[in-house]
Amino acid sequence: MTPGGPPLKRRALLVGGAAVLAGGGAALGAGLAARDDPVPAAPASFGAETVPFHGDHQPGIETHPVQAHAAFVALDLRPGSGTADVRRLLRLLTDDAERLMAGRVPLGAADPELPARPARLTVTVGFGPGLFDAIGRPDQCPPIIRQLPEFRTDRLDPRWCGGDLLLQVCSDDAVPLSYALRRLVRDARSVTTVRWTQRGFNPARGAEPEGTTPRNLMGQRDGSANPVPGTPEFEQAVWVREGPDWLVGGSMLVLRRIRMELETWDDFGRAGKEMVVARTLDTGAPVTGGLETDDVDPRMVDGRGIPIAAARSHVLQATARTEGEKMFRRGYSFDDGPTTDGLPDAGLLFAAYQADIATAFVPVQARLAESDLLNEWITHIGSATFAVPRGARPGEFIGQGLLGT
């Protein structure tokens, strides 16, 4: 047995060939429930729901609604790891992910109760710059994945940055997520070490009507202007359309750890909060009027001729100004506090999927860093970028187009 790794007989089964790898809520009424009405219990079927593993795209990106729990784990390849090691690792992870997402134990495990109700468990894999270097194909790493530009407001802590390989594991239930994560990392640790782990959460599924945009810890609806999965706008914004075969149908991920200064934000006042963001706290609608899905109108003025939405408001600075700037955000709150002095240690894990980081995230974040009113209450303290391969088809492992069989 390799120290820290899975049993040899299991590894032999998996790495010997690809053969082992083959293998809505209720309708809403016309009226809204009273505020003091009890929230209906979540249907028992939630836990039994599964997401397909195979497909043109990896799961966990367009999976909708976004699951309630997420864990992001960055792994670094051990020194001396090469193409054969990475290929074996990805075969193991692919087999594990396929089984776990279907509610089954990985090979060699004997505790079927823990993964039996996966609650829409998904496993998504991303490749960092070090992986391309380790397999001798640095030219295959998109330049923007290798190096993001520096932004003026960044205060990055190295312990939340970088990584050769990313595992994004999401579920509506923290128990199958925890089980899946430890099995995946167990199979990876003979080839990798853990660089960092970041956990996040959203409102529990069923706590609000299906399809409701989640709230972040500042109380704002987070993701109101997201492209809708399954639409042409989403396809255009998220999936890579040109490039090497292993990446076409895949995506690019920027993961940012954003600390929120909640102590001062809580005391700021409702009107001020809505002015800073340019959306209302209760519904997420623009302060200029309309529905949550509407854009803020920068031209609308009040009776004195003063713009209703501040030019430096977060939404006006973050709104895509070209088609290339559109991206899909899977935001998760984190809360690691209180600290020893009683202050919050909390914020947002901002996971942005896009077809090209250079044309989407970079110009938007550059604007925000220069003139976003919200910068008074947020700080970017972690950053990592990953190329996300296309989905695995039956009989394939993730990244097979890059690594070969």
Side-chain angles (χ1 to χ4, degrees), residues 14-50:
L14 286 167
V15 304
V20 177
L21 297 180
L28 299 177
L32 294 175
R35 288 181 179 269
D36 56 355
D37 284 350
V39 176
S45 62
F46 278 4
E49 290 181 333
T50 60

Side-chain angles (χ1 to χ4, degrees), residues 384-395:
T385 52
F386 300 93
V388 181
R390 63 168 176 82
R393 291 147 191 160

Side-chain angles (χ1 to χ4, degrees), residues 76-93:
D76 283 339
L77 294 166
R78 292 184 184 275
S81 299
T83 303
D85 302 295
V86 175
R87 186 186 296 115
R88 284 193 296 268
L89 172 61
L90 291 173
R91 281 178 172 162
L92 286 165
L93 294 177

Side-chain angles (χ1 to χ4, degrees), residues 42-229:
S45 62
F46 278 4
E49 290 181 333
T50 60
V51 176
F53 172 78
H54 294 111
D56 292 336
H57 315 298
Q58 283 198 62
I61 302 175
E62 60 184 332
T63 303
H64 187 74
V66 172
Q67 297 102 314
H69 302 276
F72 298 87
V73 179
L75 304 171
D76 283 339
L77 294 166
R78 292 184 184 275
S81 299
T83 303
D85 302 295
V86 175
R87 186 186 296 115
R88 284 193 296 268
L89 172 61
L90 291 173
R91 281 178 172 162
L92 286 165
L93 294 177
T94 296
D95 189 72
D96 283 349
E98 181 180 359
R99 291 169 183 273
L100 289 162
M101 285 176 53
R104 297 182 289 131
V105 294
L107 285 176
D111 34 21
E113 296 80 11
L114 287 170
R117 297 180 64 79
R120 297 194 305 138
L121 178 80
T122 57
V123 178
T124 314
V125 178
F127 296 165
L131 183 142
F132 296 93
D133 296 340
I135 65 173
R137 305 197 68 184
D139 59 303
Q140 288 288 299
C141 181
I144 195 63
I145 297 293
R146 193 169 291 280
Q147 184 64 58
L148 273 181
E150 295 182 4
F151 301 103
R152 187 176 64 84
T153 53
D154 283 356
R155 301 294 183 269
L156 301 181
D157 184 335
R159 67 177 174 145
W160 304 123
C161 297
D164 296 341
L165 183 72
L166 176 77
L167 298 177
Q168 173 191 294
V169 187
C170 304
S171 175
D172 287 320
D173 187 343
V175 173
L177 186 154
S178 176
Y179 178 78
L181 190 61
R182 73 175 184 254
R183 295 302 310 196
L184 291 163
V185 172
R186 173 176 174 163
D187 275 351
R189 68 186 181 212
S190 63
V191 181
T192 68
T193 57
V194 175
R195 185 183 183 99
W196 49 252
T197 302
Q198 303 188 59
R199 294 179 178 271
F201 59 89
N202 272 315
R205 192 167 177 206
E208 293 193 274
E210 194 86 352
T212 302
T213 307
R215 288 190 188 278
N216 62 31
L217 296 181
M218 285 181 158
Q220 296 284 347
R221 297 286 182 191
D222 199 331
S224 297
N226 255 342
V228 178

Side-chain angles (χ1 to χ4, degrees), residues 220-221 224-225 274-280 284-287 292 294-297 309-321 329 364 367-368 371-374:
Q220 296 284 347
R221 297 286 182 191
S224 297
E274 294 183 340
M275 181 270 294
V276 165
V277 178
R279 288 189 179 274
T280 62
V287 293
E292 181 194 348
D294 293 333
D295 291 332
V296 176
D297 185 352
R312 294 175 56 212
S313 63
H314 178 72
V315 167
L316 285 184
Q317 293 301 315
T319 298
R321 299 180 181 178
R329 293 160 288 156
V364 172
R367 278 201 306 273
L368 291 169
S371 59
D372 180 9
L373 290 174
L374 196 58

Side-chain angles (χ1 to χ4, degrees), residues 379-404:
T379 307
H380 289 240
I381 60 173
S383 181
T385 52
F386 300 93
V388 181
R390 63 168 176 82
R393 291 147 191 160
E396 292 183 339
F397 62 85
I398 296 168
Q400 184 167 313
L402 176 65
L403 275 297

